[in-house]
Amino acid sequence: MIRNIIESLVTELRNSGVTEIYSAFDAIPVSRKSSGFFTVADIGGFECGRPIYSQYTVFMPFKSEVLLSVTAPEDSRLDRLYSYFGSDIEPVLLSLSDLDCRLSKVTVKHDSNIRRLVLTASFSVCGVERIERSGE
């Protein structure tokens, strides 16, 4: 279910024109990602609710903390990084129809390990996963 959430967000962002978006679960090293801006989607926490059963489907409510880390070259201007996030990333997540997303926190830091500026946005995400019941 966690991978489905990440894949869904990555797909939505790609469909909206964000080309440099990656899952935290991929094995692509930073050196092979864009030298400009790129974004990594990750899960910070996950909680599953009590399942709801129907004849053919199981509905699994969930809450999750999604972390989107937008990285930029270390010599980038901070206002440009915020602008990119505010115009290209945030509106896509806030407009999703099948998930309830709310921005809860934004931090910016210089990551000396990868020599990039990193804006990390934490989103509270709630939804319901539908799972088809197997016929017995």
Side-chain angles (χ1 to χ4, degrees):
M1 196 178 317
I2 291 172
R3 282 190 189 266
N4 291 347
I5 295 167
I6 293 292
E7 288 173 10
S8 174
L9 296 174
V10 167
T11 299
E12 287 296 326
L13 286 163
R14 280 194 181 127
N15 290 343
S16 72
V18 178
T19 57
E20 297 297 329
I21 176 81
Y22 302 92
S23 165
F25 300 113
D26 69 25
I28 301 170
V30 171
S31 61
R32 290 197 25 224
K33 294 178 178 164
S34 173
S35 61
F37 289 1
F38 68 84
T39 303
V40 177
D42 196 1
I43 294 286
F46 183 81
E47 181 182 324
C48 206
R50 201 176 282 252
I52 302 164
Y53 297 93
S54 73
Q55 184 174 1
Y56 301 108
T57 309
V58 177
F59 299 93
M60 294 291 296
F62 66 87
K63 288 194 266 186
S64 180
E65 178 189 22
V66 172
L67 303 172
L68 291 179
S69 297
V70 183
T71 71
E74 62 185 335
D75 62 348
S76 293
R77 292 178 38 158
L78 193 54
D79 62 331
R80 192 162 168 250
L81 181 57
Y82 273 119
S83 178
Y84 174 75
F85 170 75
S87 64
D88 291 16
I89 305 291
E90 183 182 20
V92 175
L93 267 68
L94 296 179
S95 69
L96 294 175
S97 60
D98 58 339
L99 295 173
D100 180 26
C101 297
R102 298 178 196 279
L103 180 63
S104 55
K105 182 173 149 183
V106 176
T107 60
V108 178
K109 69 175 186 167
H110 177 263
D111 188 332
S112 59
N113 292 328
I114 60 173
R115 300 179 64 194
R116 296 181 68 83
L117 282 178
V118 181
L119 179 149
T120 302
S122 175
F123 287 86
S124 173
V125 177
C126 300
V128 177
E129 180 82 11
R130 299 173 128 210
I131 304 165
E132 297 297 318
R133 295 179 79 169
S134 60
E136 297 175 26

